[in-house]
Amino acid sequence: MARALPSALPYAQQRAVFARFREANPEPVSDLKYTNAFTLLVAVALSAQATDAGVNRATRPLFARVSTPQQMLELGEEGLVDHIRTIGLYRQKAANVMRLSRILVENYGGEVPSSRAALQSLPGVGRKTANVVLNVWFGQPTQAVDTHIFRIANRVRIAPGADVVAVERGIEDNVPAEFQLKAHHWMILHGRYICQARRPRCALCIINDLCPYPEKTV
């Protein structure tokens, strides 16, 4: 029998957690570098199973040359491969970027669509990537659940869930509305730099006293 998940933090504690995140970092931004909706889409798609820093190193010269789907098609798949070969799964990712670029040119007038369904119909674009683009570029309060957010949501009990969709819905249900737009940024940054997987840096944590995690480090 599967172990029952713990309940989420009460509303007052949820609000206190995110109020502290906001006070410490009022305007959190993605670590990925981009210039427009298309380069953001490409950067997020390339970041799967890769670090943001590694993606940024590869895309800095790429985005200096390419900023539209049409320019990506003109660069060509092998030209793209030359730029991103340091990124994991670069061949598959290059093929997906070329295919999605052609679809954007042929079906969307070269523009990145602003609906999750349309974004997820593009090659190599899953729910997490779509949610990042919707949140970062289009200003929608979507929750892009990666490994950091999944860990934080369960460890801090912001939104306990057995899978990413359950965590995504839990964040939408549990986090006060005023924090929804930036919630996933704060959680990613907290997970990446403070509440790390193997040894969380609890002594530096601004929500240490609010966190119910039983295995805190000192």
Side-chain angles (χ1 to χ4, degrees):
M1 181 180 296
R3 186 175 62 180
L5 290 167
S7 59
L9 290 179
Y11 177 85
Q13 283 182 264
Q14 297 273 7
R15 195 180 189 293
V17 165
F18 284 92
R20 290 188 192 178
F21 285 157
R22 181 174 63 186
E23 182 178 5
N25 187 3
E27 297 296 334
V29 296
S30 171
D31 283 345
L32 287 172
K33 305 302 181 184
Y34 58 92
T35 60
N36 58 19
F38 176 68
T39 55
L40 173 63
L41 175 63
V42 171
V44 179
L46 294 176
S47 71
Q49 300 181 51
T51 66
D52 288 357
V55 171
N56 289 338
R57 283 193 295 271
T59 57
R60 188 174 295 112
L62 172 65
F63 293 161
R65 179 176 178 181
V66 172
S67 62
T68 69
Q70 183 60 48
Q71 289 173 345
M72 187 67 76
L73 293 176
E74 293 167 0
L75 177 66
E77 187 168 334
E78 288 306 312
L80 176 56
V81 164
D82 287 341
H83 282 281
I84 67 169
R85 63 174 64 253
T86 57
I87 298 174
L89 304 175
Y90 68 90
R91 284 281 179 190
Q92 178 183 335
K93 291 176 180 178
N96 285 336
V97 168
M98 299 310 296
R99 290 167 58 208
L100 74 80
S101 296
R102 184 163 300 283
I103 292 170
L104 291 177
V105 168
E106 293 179 352
N107 296 351
Y108 297 97
E111 300 294 325
V112 174
S114 59
S115 83
R116 184 186 286 120
L119 285 167
Q120 285 190 250
S121 72
L122 299 172
V125 178
R127 187 178 182 90
K128 185 184 77 172
T129 297
N131 281 346
V132 172
V133 173
L134 292 173
N135 181 277
V136 173
W137 190 259
F138 293 105
Q140 298 183 23
T142 51
Q143 308 301 330
V145 180
D146 68 353
T147 56
H148 297 300
I149 290 184
F150 187 82
R151 179 173 68 257
I152 299 303
N154 281 284
R155 185 179 278 177
V156 185
R157 286 173 38 198
I158 292 168
D163 55 54
V164 295
V165 174
V167 167
E168 179 184 330
R169 290 173 178 165
I171 295 171
E172 293 171 350
D173 290 342
N174 298 326
V175 175
E178 66 185 289
F179 303 112
Q180 288 278 336
L181 182 61
K182 299 171 184 175
H184 96 270
H185 287 294
W186 286 315
M187 294 174 72
I188 286 173
L189 294 172
H190 191 65
R192 183 173 291 161
Y193 299 113
I194 301 296
C195 198
Q196 297 166 339
R198 293 186 179 179
R199 186 170 176 80
R201 304 171 72 190
C202 298
L204 302 178
C205 178
I206 62 174
I207 60 167
N208 188 308
D209 59 312
L210 299 171
C211 173
Y213 184 55
E215 300 175 34
K216 292 179 182 176
T217 59
V218 177

